Amino acid sequence: ILNVEQSPQSLHVQEGDSTNFTCSFPSSNFYALHWYRWETAKSPEALFVMTLNGDEKKKGRISATLNTKEGYSYLYIKGSQPEDSATYLCAFRAGANNLFFGTGTRLTVIP
Amino acid sequence: DGGITQSPKYLFRKEGQNVTLSCEQNLNHDAMYWYRQDPGQGLRLIYYSQIVNDFQKGDIAEGYSVSREKKESFPLTVTSAQKNPTAFYLCASRPAGPNTGELFFGEGSRLTVL
């Protein structure tokens, strides 16, 4: 089992603040890096799948970057809203069916 | 609406009993997966299936069994041989295509062994 680390484990921000989280993963055997958003009592939903070094993806106020050579990805949320409160999971794909998940970053946005 | 349905959401079991968790999808996806979540740990892969009548062990398959008799169904049996079965279980699926594709998840089943 490969080690995928996410930081911080949790954070609280005020509505309107921008924030970012980190996902660290092995820099070898890279296939893809996934980001998922998991709201309480719902199913995790994919935000981004990133495959190329230097990839930058954006969905609304949320964006992500990828550095496969040094083994990290950042997720940014601009102008956080209460509906952004969720656990954000990253997952490193090392092969066809080998998807290794981090423990997640739990974000709470305070109105 | 297309999606993945897991049942039951909550399940209590006595030690020594087998229990089966249901996972049904109407997304016409080929691959299906079972993950386990424990506090402070990332999701860990139990079993996966890429096609009907075929499945493979994941990282923590001991004490679990699965079947894939239909494309839309991938039930997981937690047997009495599983030493620590209390956990949250997530089922997921993925369409055929690039191996980099995202997973689609159900809402999970929480199993508690009394």
Side-chain angles (χ1 to χ4, degrees), chain A:
Chain A
I1 296 181
L2 299 180
N3 196 30
V4 178
E5 296 185 354
Q6 292 189 245
S7 63
Q9 279 193 325
S10 66
L11 79 161
H12 293 71
V13 301
Q14 291 292 134
E15 182 174 353
D17 287 352
S18 294
T19 188
N20 64 86
F21 332 130
T22 304
C23 174
S24 301
F25 52 87
S27 55
S28 58
N29 296 323
F30 178 85
Y31 270 53
L33 193 285
H34 296 208
W35 281 100
Y36 292 86
R37 176 167 59 197
W38 193 359
E39 296 179 65
T40 302
K42 295 187 178 181
S43 53
E45 289 185 346
L47 286 171
F48 306 113
V49 176
M50 309 174 79
T51 57
L52 297 175
N53 185 43
D55 253 357
E56 292 189 24
K57 299 223 171 179
K58 187 175 181 181
K59 184 182 288 189
R61 293 178 293 99
I62 305 178
S63 60
T65 61
L66 178 67
N67 184 322
T68 61
K69 292 184 179 179
E70 296 183 40
Y72 65 83
S73 175
Y74 294 137
L75 188 79
Y76 301 90
I77 302 179
K78 185 178 178 181
S80 302
Q81 300 297 308
E83 58 265 30
D84 295 329
S85 296
T87 296
Y88 291 83
L89 301 176
C90 76
F92 167 74
R93 186 177 287 284
N97 288 291
N98 293 358
L99 193 60
F100 298 96
F101 283 83
T103 54
T105 293
R106 177 173 286 188
L107 172 67
T108 303
V109 181
I110 304 164

Side-chain angles (χ1 to χ4, degrees), chain B residues 45-67:
Chain B
L45 182 63
I46 304 172
Y47 267 99
Y48 64 96
S49 167
Q50 292 182 284
I51 197 169
V52 173
N53 292 323
D54 185 58
F55 47 82
Q56 307 294 329
K57 292 183 179 180
D59 300 311
I60 55 167
E62 186 175 349
Y64 299 98
S65 66
V66 292
S67 63

Side-chain angles (χ1 to χ4, degrees), chain B residues 67-105:
Chain B
S67 63
R68 187 86 186 276
E69 296 177 2
K70 299 184 296 182
K71 187 176 185 178
E72 56 270 23
S73 178
F74 191 40
L76 174 74
T77 297
V78 185
T79 76
S80 56
Q82 168 48 233
K83 298 300 180 191
N84 187 17
T86 295
F88 186 75
Y89 293 88
L90 269 174
C91 178
S93 69
R94 182 169 66 85
N99 290 331
T100 53
E102 68 192 68
L103 295 182
F104 294 76
F105 287 92

